[in-house]
Amino acid sequence: MTILNRKLLRELKTSKLRSSLIIIALGLSIAIYAGFMLGYKNIEASFDLSEEETNYEDFRVSFSNYTAIANITSPEITTVIDNIAEYDYRIWQPSALKVEGEATEFTAYIHGVPGDRRPIVNDVYMQKGEYFTSDNATEVLVETHFAKAQDLDLGDTIEIFSGEGFVEYTIVGIIWSPEYTYVTNRLTMLPDWENLGAVWMPIKQTQALFGFGDVFNELLVKVENKELIDTTINSIIDEYQTENTIVSATKKEDEPDTYMKNADVGFMDDMSIIFGLMVLIIAIFVLYDTISKVVESQRNYIGVMSSLGGNKWKIVFHYVKFGTLLGVISSVVGVIFALLLSYEFMHAYTDILQLPITDTDYGGALPYFGIAIGVGLLITVVVSFLSALKAASITPREAMSSAYVQQVYTKKPLPERVLTKVPGFKSLAIRIPIRGIMRNKRRSLLTFITYGLSMLIVFGSLGFVNSFMHQMDYYYNDIEKQDISVYLVNPINQTELNEGLLELDQVIKAETFVNGYVQISVPETNKTRSTEVYGYDNPTLRSFNMKDDSVIEPGNYIYLGSILAKFLDVEKGSEVEIGDTTFEVGGILQELMDQTAFLHYETAQELLGLEGLSTGALVEVSDVNLAKVEILESGLPVAFLIVKSEIYDAFMTMMQAVIGIIFIVIFVGLLVVALFSFNTVVMDVMSREMEFVNFRTLGAKKRTLYKVIGAQGLIIAFLGSLAAIPIGYLGVRWFNTIVEEMMYIQTKINLSSFLITIATGLVASFIGIWAAVRHVRKLELVDVTRNRVNT
Amino acid sequence: MINLSEKKEHLIEVKNVQRIFSMGEVEVQALKGANLTIDEGEFVVILGPSGSGKTTLLNQIGGIDTPTSGEVIVDGKNITDYSSDELTEHRRDTIGWIFQFFNLIPSLTASENVGLALEMAEDMEDWEIRAQEALALVGLGDKGDRFPAQLSGGEQQRVAIARALVKKPKIIVADEPTGNLDWKTGLEVAQVMKNLNQEEGITFAVVSHDISISEMANQVLYMHDGLIYDKPQSAESAPSAKKVVTE
Ligand SMILES: Nc1ncnc2c1ncn2[C@@H]1O[C@H](COP(=O)(O)OP(=O)(O)OP(=O)(O)O)[C@@H](O)[C@H]1O
Ligand SMILES: [Mg+2]
């Protein structure tokens, strides 16, 4: 081994602190980028595999009225419509259910599926128990999230509301379905992991329960050629739509649950890139700062090598090797942590979703590992090359001169002149750090930016949670003011419903509405989507947060949720079509999960063919639990109730899980802040070691050292926070636009988040200050002054 | 026309050299037209008060700095207008440097510090043996494996000398090589240099106030205010007689 290589290895070993700072910074960014990417790829692969195993649909057709099964079996739909590879029919009916021995009523989604065979499309994954024995058994399969939340097991019974009373069924299986990855409520579009009971039973049982004949209302289709999906959908609608029955189709990716899933996966994809990139940028700064300081501290040796006739490039190469070696070690560390992180990430995620089928996609993640390592190595090489080039370019005469000559002072910096006028700021403990910061303005600026950037992660995550919570509160306090939404099995006269509800003791106020699913398309484009529309007449129990304060007006005006509008790529004044009717977009709403469309009551009634009728009502009640029982037993044809407070709680439960993941992010952010501020303070002190040695030989006490080092750390922390907050605010806004596909969120950040961010920076600085003081105090004065041995 | 007497060239020639440092508005004239010649095999000692320009002069010869005006010719090459790459080559091939602060690299052992000079010159063949020989020449044959922190000041300076001579340079330039040592250790170091001069024929240009070194010189030069003289310009710059101690 050459002498220089020995020098390199020994110095790497002695300067453990510096080397580990570099390795941690770079390893962390490799781990975060590659680890999140791998986690995301694994989750995506798991989703794909679980859809494959359950033979998940390409699209789903809903019939607004129950339709005879014979309609699609004779003649066979496959002979009538092209491009259908496989299909199955079923009943999907919302209702209410009770768990054995409990009074609480839960929202139930009943799936009536063939009892004598497994579903061909949208099969279930049996986690526990067996599929039905026959069409005649009063048996049910229960979705795993609900079963877990309500502690249900095989052999337990549940009661399902038929419209008239509750009927008992025995649980024979606990299942998982890709339709309920997130357990999204089809009406609220919000996930509900505890209170939404998705239940499967033989279709014959469903028909009997609700008193239907041999009918179905949902058709699940897998196509042969995915490119022709739109044509296939259109021919199904043309073929089966009648005057009474509206047929609408939802493609897999537009279904609430898949939509949620894709948005979530997309969000993770964005997050791993943004997050990895952010940490990488910080790592670049850390590396630049640390490596250039390491090289600078070797100025004397560079001078020696140069006076011995060492060629400039040889010296530069030596430091490039140093950087490369660190890069390689960091990569190894990074890859190990990436694997651990992806494993943790994947498991946290699949645990939340209770995904029983998991898969990995190391091959798919390989390029990201390549990128992370490649960029990491490139950075260390470039950074060490540049700093070595700079150091080796000074003449040996300059290099050999005392360490102080590089710091040329000709006048006092302005902040010092100003600050020292303030009483209490006259001491050298303040002057020295200010001069230190002003001496190298470019590096100080870089330090503040990096410091700010690392605090950004903490601030950004907190800010996002704040904004989200604000939006939730806003939505459930100012937009939805009802306590319960009542949905009917079949439409009834609107006055009848209103009066029927007001008769009840618990009901204070009732306002009816009409709703249904329609297919909205944009003329002259291929943009089309199955959408739920609501008709309201100036309700007081619901507000609309409309852009430019539009109000819902009668006539052919439609008001679209911002996410729906974004999907259709329309704005106020654009035209959309529902069936043969053209509507003008009268306004865009900015609410939470707003993918719904709103019309004036009468317009909606006409559109849905329900003149004078309503399909549900918003009610204000005195006691929610009493009112629920009263409404269900009122004799009105109630299908199910949605209780606002339950939805809110369900969402909060989910958010807690998500916040768990966000806390991992915040924790990493804290780590980065701590690492960087620590690095900044410690490295700065190390590079000015001689200065502090002089203080000590002059008899400086521990307190004085703390003062001098502390003042500099605090100035950096303070200015860093100042930089972090405006960038952080913009960061949160940007964050909110990323989730725009999922939900609309306004940017609102709590004061406490500002304070926590600043406190984090300060605490991290304090740790750095403490470490720096310790370092200075541990220096052997004899060695340093005698030999200039700086390691 | 070149006549025969001028055919025999001096090894080092400094002709009317000026070196001006400008620091903003202030100009410091460190050398004001210095002249000197050194022949092969000579041991030249330069004396002079602090700030008189001694280090600056050595830097011109040793290829660490270039003059503002004038000419520097070393070993038949005019290095006055050398680029930094050419100066590097000059230092590598012709010069061995010894500094007042020994400037050893703390993470390398004595023999590695010496070997570093060979590595820098890309001449690594048998470096360990050659480094060992060089250390033996300065009387440190048994301490090659020690790190600088494990050596005394005099030993460290002898390692620095070994490092300067391991390439067998024509010239060794030393700036106060004993300035950091007590007189006895200084004497040992001086003895090592004199031996090298006599036995290996290496030419020495040494800045030193050490009486034991100036006694070895076959040419003593006196610097004062940026100029070179052949006799002392003031009392203080003469070697102080009172400190002479002999055994
Ligand atoms: N890099 C520099 N910039 C400005 N002035 C300089 C520089 N180097 C030397 N000088 C000035 O040039 C003059 C000669 O300096 P030099 O170092 O050659 O003195 P010296 O004779 O070696 O002194 P000493 O015995 O104290 O080492 C001094 O006045 C010094 O201040
Ligand atoms: Mg000097």
Side-chain angles (χ1 to χ4, degrees), chain A residues 2-4 6-7 10-11 300-301 304-311 314 396-397 400 786-787 789, chain B residues 19 59 64-65 88 91-92 99 103 105-108 112 115-116 119-120 122 127 147 156 163 167:
Chain A
T2 68
I3 297 166
L4 280 177
R6 293 185 198 187
K7 166 176 178 295
R10 279 184 205 144
E11 281 168 7
N300 245 287
Y301 313 153
V304 172
M305 291 191 250
S306 185
S307 67
L308 289 174
N311 173 295
K314 202 177 177 76
R397 184 179 57 77
M400 301 300 291
R786 192 184 62 154
N787 284 337
V789 178
Chain B
R19 179 66 171 98
N59 285 349
I64 274 184
D65 195 15
T88 302
R91 288 196 300 270
R92 192 178 69 197
F99 303 98
N103 280 315
I105 290 175
S107 55
L108 297 180
E112 286 163 354
L116 188 64
E119 180 157 355
M120 287 297 139
E122 288 168 15
W127 74 266
F147 285 95
Q156 288 186 45
R163 183 174 66 186
K167 292 179 299 183

Side-chain angles (χ1 to χ4, degrees), chain A residues 677-693:
Chain A
S677 56
F678 178 83
N679 179 63
T680 310
V681 178
V682 173
M683 284 308 292
D684 198 76
V685 168
M686 280 182 161
S687 65
R688 295 187 305 151
E689 212 168 68
M690 282 309 282
E691 202 172 297
F692 289 102
V693 166

Side-chain angles (χ1 to χ4, degrees), chain A residues 410-422:
Chain A
T410 45
K411 61 175 197 234
K412 293 176 184 175
L414 182 68
E416 182 188 337
R417 274 177 285 160
V418 176
L419 256 181
T420 43
K421 299 234 160 52
V422 182

